[in-house]
Amino acid sequence: MEALQILVKNTTGRDKKVIRENILDLNSYKEAPSNEPERQYYFIKKIREIIDFYKDKEKREFTACITTFGCQMNSRDSEKISGILTEAGYIITENELEADFVLFNTCTIRENANEHLYGRLGRLKQVKKNRPEMVIAICGCMMQEADEVDKMRTKYPYVDLIFGTHNFYMFAELYYELLAKRAGIYISAESKKHEMVASSDNDLHKAEKLKNYDTKKNKDELQKLNTRPVVSVWKDTEDIVEELPSLRKYPFKQGVNIMFGCNNFCSYCIVPYVRGREKSRLPEEIIKEIQKLGKDGVKEIMLLGQNVNSYGKNLEKPMSFAELLKLVDEEAGKCGIERIRFMTSHPKDLSDELIEVMKNGKHICRQFHLPLQSGSSKVLKRMNRHYDREGYMQRVYKLKEAMPDISISTDIIVGFPGETEEDFNETLEVCREVEYDSAFTFIYSKRLGTPAASYEDQIDEEAVKKRFDRLLELQNNISEKNCKKLLNKELPVLFEEINQQDKSLITGRLENNAIVHVKGDESLIGTIHTVRLKEAHGFYYIGEII
């Protein structure tokens, strides 16, 4: 960081003094590597020294709980947070009420995700009051909105650390900054190369003024500053830092980020505003990561991006997603990866080249997630989706012609502003024609800052709910019908976990992503076996290993 400023103010407490003198070395920040990810590994090590100090003192382990809202990319980010915290000496737990460190990785696509976060924070208020040493952090898409950050700072002042999507990789450094602040040491960068959405740098300037006059009042004010949160939310970035510690939820499968951000600006969607413009990773970096995953015994990968179909357009040497997928498929055969998935695809960018690569791929799952959003060309135009119903159906026909056994899933929004009964019926017609194996259905959620939020012809809630129920009933019937098509087939299943409802069953997934339960134990987890599908239950199968 440029123009580093460090302010030290003596604070009471033996522990703080020990940490300040022996661990939070004033030169440590200057000594940190400037290149990434080495810089973050440096701060992970420094945090570990502090956590180890407290573990030795209190004769116990320290735990961390990470809660993830939203998409697969958020889940991948949370795996990195878990990996960093594990490297720093924490044990990961699911009990947020007893954890020493609690982090919420937020989503802001729909309003109910925000409400869920507020509820969880409310539950922690008394816990934090009883255990002020507990650390509460919030990151992710929701924190890219300045008004939400302001809300956190005013309504939930007991939150300790706030950061966004663009400097996500700096978590270790920001956490170190928080620990230093709690010990009365202020660390910040006076000159920043990124425009900020929100920052707590003003605390540094206030502290500098207070230290000039050694009065009781100023000492009290400094103590208050020490307890204020560290906030660092960038407006955007070109940085891509991926090689960080990771703790996978499933050791045998993992998401692989291939790009970030979105350039489509659908009128209902806030993603381009909180995730930024499209940035693609270099193909050689992606392949290197996949090779490492293969050596680690990973059987399935999912290539991730807000719109994977537009991968590579901004690279110095442009590469299409189809070309990347072909490379990944070839590499999978060399390193033991047996399944390749990807999401999400935008219909406007689905090329014939990609369909051909999927058709000929040896490890690419015959599953395609192709968001429809609406079956009405009029609504699609207003959504700024850049395709109409006919263009979408042409893509579907080509997929099915090339791969008759392909499984297609979709996203559908009900109640978009101005949607008429006729428009909604067109959506139902598309569902009947395509016969999706599954659909993620959503009631339109107004997101401030998007064009659609200002549309005056918002739909009556009761009418939207009735339409949503009709869509759900239709899709459930279609899914059940499709499910029966595979009865008595013998197909490979990747087993993932013990069934939570019946411990005698183990749960896995077919190549088309459908769930299968069989009698078995945890020794099957992470393995692929051929299973005869004996019973179909709409959204899952009961089978037996052959």
Side-chain angles (χ1 to χ4, degrees), residues 136-182:
I136 301 176
I138 306 179
C139 65
C141 294
M142 187 176 167
M143 294 302 100
Q144 288 297 140
E145 300 179 77
D147 57 337
E148 289 294 348
V149 176
D150 290 341
K151 186 173 183 176
M152 290 299 121
R153 297 170 90 168
T154 54
K155 292 194 68 174
Y156 306 95
Y158 47 90
V159 170
D160 300 285
L161 175 61
I162 298 172
F163 57 105
T165 59
H166 301 303
N167 60 343
F168 181 89
Y169 68 89
M170 289 182 62
F171 164 64
E173 184 170 350
L174 293 171
Y175 185 24
Y176 178 83
E177 184 177 334
L178 173 69
L179 292 172
K181 188 175 186 178
R182 293 293 181 263

Side-chain angles (χ1 to χ4, degrees), residues 110-124:
R110 278 164 287 279
E111 187 176 6
N112 62 347
N114 296 31
E115 297 301 326
H116 286 159
L117 175 65
Y118 303 146
R120 302 287 278 272
L121 288 175
R123 275 206 314 168
L124 289 174

Side-chain angles (χ1 to χ4, degrees), residues 14-155:
R14 180 178 176 278
D15 292 344
K16 289 182 179 180
K17 184 177 179 181
V18 171
I19 291 173
R20 192 169 57 248
E21 292 179 352
N22 298 293
I23 300 174
L24 288 168
D25 188 327
L26 298 185
N27 292 318
S28 64
Y29 219 74
K30 294 179 181 178
E31 294 170 355
S34 59
N35 53 308
E36 300 288 0
E38 290 80 6
R39 184 176 180 87
Q40 299 312 311
Y41 279 95
Y42 172 88
F43 285 111
I44 292 170
K45 182 180 178 182
K46 302 299 290 186
I47 295 167
R48 179 75 186 234
E49 292 174 3
I50 297 171
I51 300 305
D52 284 348
F53 170 82
Y54 278 114
K55 285 165 67 174
D56 290 343
K57 178 179 181 296
E58 299 184 21
K59 306 301 180 187
R60 67 178 183 89
E61 296 294 338
F62 274 58
T63 60
C65 177
I66 294 93
T67 299
T68 308
F69 301 98
C71 65
Q72 285 83 355
M73 294 195 77
N74 270 17
S75 296
R76 179 72 188 108
D77 288 344
S78 290
E79 288 181 342
K80 293 175 190 173
I81 291 285
S82 297
I84 290 168
L85 288 170
T86 300
E87 291 270 334
Y90 286 92
I91 293 175
I92 304 301
T93 178
E94 294 183 1
N95 191 338
E96 69 185 41
L97 297 179
E98 296 183 4
D100 299 285
F101 186 104
V102 175
L103 179 136
F104 297 101
N105 190 357
T106 63
C107 172
T108 191
I109 297 299
R110 278 164 287 279
E111 187 176 6
N112 62 347
N114 296 31
E115 297 301 326
H116 286 159
L117 175 65
Y118 303 146
R120 302 287 278 272
L121 288 175
R123 275 206 314 168
L124 289 174
K125 182 176 182 179
Q126 188 60 44
V127 179
K128 177 72 170 177
K129 185 176 181 180
N130 294 336
R131 292 195 292 123
E133 71 280 4
M134 174 193 207
V135 176
I136 301 176
I138 306 179
C139 65
C141 294
M142 187 176 167
M143 294 302 100
Q144 288 297 140
E145 300 179 77
D147 57 337
E148 289 294 348
V149 176
D150 290 341
K151 186 173 183 176
M152 290 299 121
R153 297 170 90 168
T154 54
K155 292 194 68 174

